[in-house]
Amino acid sequence: LAKTTQPISMDSYEGQEVNITCSHNNIATNDYITWYQQFPSQGPRFIIQGYKTKVTNEVASLFIPADRKSSTLSLPRVSLSDTAVYYCLVGPNTDKLIFGTGTRLQVFP
Amino acid sequence: SQTIHQWPATLVQPVGSPLSLECTVEGTSNPNLYWYRQAAGRGLQLLFYSVGIGQISSEVPQNLSASRPQDRQFILSSKKLLLSDSGFYLCAWSVGREANEKLFFGSGTQLSVL
């Protein structure tokens, strides 16, 4: 399974764009990149998933370069409610999905 | 639509007591099922996963065990709890047959072993 590396924490202010980068140098050809968001005392929830180039939904954008060895989750105009831990997962259709340590995003007013 | 139920929400148990946490999934068949644990302020640790009834794989040797008596039921157990078993326990499911796998989590059980 591809191992992921993310910054431990990031700070931002309301209204700013936040970019969280995940490194996955050993990503395999059939691996997808998936991001989850976790609030305190809740289970993680799916945010966005991609395989290559760019994916955008109503919550975030995911940028994946051609070599796929990293990916960047972009949160436009964050608010206080975006304060959470963000996890990057890389994997194919395997039987187990292992989370890294995640990035703790703190948004200030 | 699919839903996942996990209970209880909170649990306080003395050291040495048994444990049973239950998780059920509705609206899908033959899901992959997972138990994760999260210590305070830490990331998620995969404990067990299951691809079918009676098929359990353990990721971390410990005094916990898991069972899958029915297709959509996953149980986490312990015969004697340790202080180190305290944490936030999460059950999750995935379709298990797609390359773009997504996990769906339950609401979690906050376990305090005293």
Side-chain angles (χ1 to χ4, degrees):
Chain A
L1 291 172
K3 180 180 178 180
T4 60
T5 302
Q6 303 174 233
I8 293 175
S9 64
M10 295 181 69
D11 293 335
S12 184
Y13 291 94
E14 284 191 293
Q16 290 188 334
E17 179 184 75
V18 171
N19 296 309
I20 305 174
T21 297
C22 179
S23 297
H24 28 81
N25 292 320
N26 297 324
I27 190 169
T29 301
N30 58 339
D31 283 347
Y32 278 74
I33 301 157
T34 310
W35 285 80
Y36 294 83
Q37 175 192 55
Q38 185 183 25
F39 297 113
S41 300
Q42 294 184 27
R45 70 179 186 116
F46 170 85
I47 300 177
I48 197 167
Q49 182 181 73
Y51 182 81
K52 61 180 180 180
T53 62
K54 176 183 175 181
V55 178
T56 297
N57 61 22
E58 65 279 4
V59 177
S61 294
L62 179 59
F63 298 92
I64 306 169
D67 66 6
R68 304 201 326 124
K69 293 184 182 298
S70 67
S71 59
T72 300
L73 173 72
S74 181
L75 305 172
R77 297 178 299 281
V78 294
S79 64
L80 295 176
S81 63
D82 293 315
T83 293
V85 178
Y86 293 83
Y87 295 95
C88 161
L89 263 74
V90 174
N93 179 21
T94 59
D95 300 331
K96 53 186 180 180
L97 295 170
I98 297 177
F99 285 75
T101 55
T103 298
R104 187 173 301 274
L105 173 65
Q106 179 68 55
V107 180
F108 295 96
Chain B
S1 62
Q2 301 88 358
T3 56
I4 180 169
H5 302 279
Q6 187 181 344
W7 68 91
T10 59
L11 190 61
V12 180
Q13 292 285 98
V15 171
S17 64
L19 172 73
S20 181
L21 302 180
E22 188 164 343
C23 171
T24 60
V25 180
E26 297 178 356
T28 187
S29 60
N30 196 29
N32 279 7
L33 296 173
Y34 307 80
W35 278 111
Y36 288 88
R37 177 172 64 195
Q38 188 171 37
R42 305 292 295 274
L44 285 85
Q45 178 188 33
L46 178 63
L47 300 176
F48 301 95
Y49 67 95
S50 170
V51 300
I53 296 175
Q55 301 178 62
I56 309 294
S57 295
S58 174
E59 284 299 296
V60 182
Q62 59 213 329
N63 67 320
L64 299 173
S65 62
S67 62
R68 184 170 178 173
Q70 300 180 43
D71 180 44
R72 290 168 290 177
Q73 183 185 29
F74 207 22
I75 298 173
L76 182 69
S77 303
S78 174
K79 293 182 178 178
K80 290 185 178 182
L81 284 168
L82 305 173
L83 287 174
S84 58
D85 291 324
S86 293
F88 189 48
Y89 287 81
L90 287 158
C91 180
W93 74 273
S94 66
V95 173
R97 291 177 292 278
E98 299 177 351
N100 54 339
E101 203 66 49
K102 299 182 186 68
L103 280 170
F104 301 94
F105 285 83
S107 53
T109 295
Q110 184 64 54
L111 172 66
S112 298
V113 182
L114 305 177

